[in-house]
Amino acid sequence: MSHRFPKIIWPIAALALLLAVAGVIRFGSHPAQARTARQHRHPDALARRPAGAPAAAVTPVWVTAARTPVQSGNWRTAWAAAPQGAVPGNLSQAGFDNQTIRQIVLASGGGTMVRVRLSNAFGTRPVRIGRASVALERSGPVLAPGTVRPLTFAGQPWVIIPPGAQVLSDPVRLAVPALAHLAVSLYVPTASGPATEHVQARQVNYVAAGDRFAAVSGQGFGARTPSWYFLAGVDVLAPARDVGTVVTLGDSITDGVGSPANANLRWPNDLARRLARLPGPTLSVADEGIGGNRVLNNSACCGVNAVARFQRDVLDQSGVRDVILLEGINDIGFSQSHKADNLPHTNVSALQIIDGYEQMIAMAHMAGVRIFGATLLPFRGARYWTAAGEAKRDEINHWITTSGAFDGVIDFARVVADPGHPLRLNPAYDSGDHLHPNAAGYAAMANAVDLAALLPRT
């Protein structure tokens, strides 16, 4: 029995066939074609969703093969700073408008290409970056001549970052030595609203009126600020001997409070220097410390809790291989605080803090990342020390060192303790507040890290 189609079907079928040939309608694709299409989307160029942000707030950034000279490779996070919400009294509260922010960072590892991650994780409106550049720093806001590289985003010299999102620039060719100082300049042409920042940079950064994104001289950069704004990370295309990134996750002790400004003497910096001196395999280091941060609770002053930010600040880092976790002292101490900006003043137990550790251990292992636990430093004499808090620290450190839950343990507490009074910091390592080490203390901590445990066996 023959089938007859109404006459009107034939013109429609012919039009559909014509459109299919032209590529307007696709009835399906060969697997090889699908693979080719996927390869044209840069795997690391998608704006990632921070913990707690709605998926609708994230807009992917597309990078085509024609615009990007390198589609894959040995990308490592050479520098990072955990994003925080705007803090009252800082430049971040009002944000920026027709201004250029020039920000200085230390690249833990070197490479032949650079890309930059920008964040609007805590913004209330879309932020427009009108122009941006990366260069080697010469001195302060002055750039090394011949090193200024304008940045693009999906081939465009500008980018709009939606609230809750972060974006990744296209790679640019720039020879970056390990431990080089880089300057990232961002021109913000229109009112940004409250700016996502990292409060305690311990680094002087600079602000100028107008568009100075490519200016080599420091002229106009008269305003200074101790924070980083919108800048979340710098990646380098590293040599093969750089086998991964180790992320240091923690609070103000990892953020370097107690060390001098502009000196890069945080313990993660000292660890990076040790790694850079190795003749063979090495690692880059990403510092994801936040002053006042806690394992279990957010606060206005001190960022999202460590469990909630673990995906964004640790697992999303380029080339992440290991994480060193040093956090929990603020969970203990803030029960004694009466400041409004570090609410809630919760009296959490040692077991609750350990539960938070176990969640992060599970997340790391699911991602194939090793996680090392560091013991909480002695803090007797600090403003929020109590005997009850000391008992919690002792219980937590006992669990860290004996449970076997971590892939390894770094006993920072033993290294920096006063030999005659082990509940206190060694006076030679005390910055003066009996909580934060000084530069010598941070160096001792970095020297306590067993590099052989981090690096592959040769």
Side-chain angles (χ1 to χ4, degrees):
M1 182 177 177
S2 63
H3 296 278
R4 293 181 176 273
F5 295 97
K7 292 183 178 180
I8 193 171
I9 296 298
W10 293 108
I12 294 173
L15 177 60
L17 180 61
L18 182 63
L19 291 174
V21 171
V24 177
I25 296 177
R26 299 174 69 182
F27 294 108
S29 61
H30 190 275
Q33 294 173 326
R35 284 194 299 272
T36 302
R38 286 196 296 271
Q39 289 169 356
H40 284 191
R41 192 175 91 178
H42 196 290
D44 290 325
L46 295 181
R48 299 186 177 98
R49 178 162 54 99
V58 177
T59 299
V61 177
W62 300 98
V63 180
T64 66
R67 291 174 181 153
T68 306
V70 173
Q71 291 296 306
S72 60
N74 205 45
W75 286 101
R76 302 290 179 253
T77 298
W79 174 88
Q84 299 173 246
V87 173
N90 202 340
L91 291 179
S92 60
Q93 191 172 23
F96 300 89
D97 187 359
N98 189 29
Q99 292 169 291
T100 300
I101 318 164
R102 180 157 290 174
Q103 309 182 76
I104 311 303
V105 304
L106 179 73
S108 62
T112 57
M113 302 190 77
V114 180
R115 62 190 187 190
V116 171
R117 281 176 284 125
L118 305 179
S119 175
N120 190 23
F122 300 98
T124 59
R125 66 179 77 169
V127 170
R128 184 183 183 93
I129 304 298
R131 299 297 295 270
S133 70
V134 62
L136 295 179
E137 180 214 26
R138 182 173 183 177
S139 176
V142 181
L143 308 182
T147 68
V148 180
R149 302 290 188 270
L151 295 172
T152 59
F153 301 85
Q156 300 298 321
W158 54 269
V159 68
I160 296 175
I161 315 174
Q166 71 175 12
V167 297
L168 186 68
S169 77
D170 302 333
V172 293
R173 295 194 181 279
L174 178 64
V176 178
L179 306 176
H181 289 90
L182 298 174
V184 179
S185 302
L186 306 176
Y187 171 55
V188 184
T190 56
S192 67
T196 295
E197 67 175 326
H198 184 86
V199 179
Q200 295 179 338
R202 309 208 67 75
Q203 169 67 54
V204 174
N205 299 296
Y206 307 89
V207 182
D211 183 356
R212 302 276 302 163
F213 91 102
V216 174
S217 79
Q219 184 178 358
F221 287 95
R224 298 187 173 197
T225 174
S227 303
W228 289 300
Y229 304 94
F230 305 119
L231 184 60
V234 176
D235 293 353
V236 296
L237 186 64
R241 79 182 193 92
D242 189 329
V243 296
T245 299
V246 54
V247 180
T248 60
L249 181 68
D251 48 40
S252 56
I253 295 172
T254 296
D255 215 10
V257 171
S259 66
N262 295 340
N264 292 300
L265 292 176
R266 312 164 190 87
W267 74 262
N269 301 142
D270 291 321
L271 176 61
R273 278 185 277 271
R274 289 187 65 203
L275 288 161
R277 289 194 294 266
L278 295 177
T282 189
L283 294 161
S284 296
V285 180
D287 186 343
E288 295 285 3
I290 298 180
N293 200 233
R294 285 182 266 185
V295 173
L296 300 174
N297 286 279
N298 305 345
S299 59
C301 69
C302 309
V304 175
N305 70 80
V307 176
R309 68 187 182 95
F310 194 82
Q311 179 68 46
R312 179 195 66 201
D313 291 348
V314 176
L315 300 182
D316 286 349
Q317 299 306 308
S318 297
V320 59
R321 173 187 172 91
D322 304 303
V323 54
I324 299 174
L325 175 63
L326 173 60
E327 189 150 359
I329 204 70
N330 293 315
D331 296 74
I332 295 170
F334 277 0
S335 64
Q336 304 301 309
S337 179
H338 303 288
K339 295 182 178 180
D341 65 352
N342 57 31
L343 287 168
H345 302 145
T346 51
N347 189 18
V348 298
S349 68
L351 288 177
Q352 288 174 305
I353 296 169
I354 290 168
D355 284 344
Y357 291 166
E358 290 182 318
Q359 291 182 55
M360 289 184 277
I361 292 168
M363 286 188 283
H365 289 167
M366 286 181 65
V369 171
R370 298 184 304 174
I371 180 167
F372 295 81
T375 52
L376 302 183
L377 275 56
F379 71 122
R380 184 159 189 167
R383 58 182 174 78
Y384 58 25
W385 183 91
T386 63
E390 182 60 49
K392 292 179 186 179
R393 185 182 77 95
D394 182 67
E395 184 177 349
I396 290 168
N397 282 351
H398 179 76
W399 182 85
I400 289 171
T401 56
T402 64
S403 68
F406 288 103
D407 294 292
V409 173
I410 305 166
D411 198 353
F412 284 153
R414 181 185 58 81
V415 170
V416 299
D418 184 341
H421 303 277
L423 302 188
R424 295 179 179 270
L425 286 175
N426 187 326
Y429 294 153
D430 192 341
S431 67
D433 64 5
H434 312 302
L435 177 65
H436 300 98
N438 56 20
Y442 287 133
M445 291 170 63
N447 288 334
V449 177
D450 182 3
L451 301 186
L454 297 178
L455 292 166
R457 295 175 181 173
T458 56

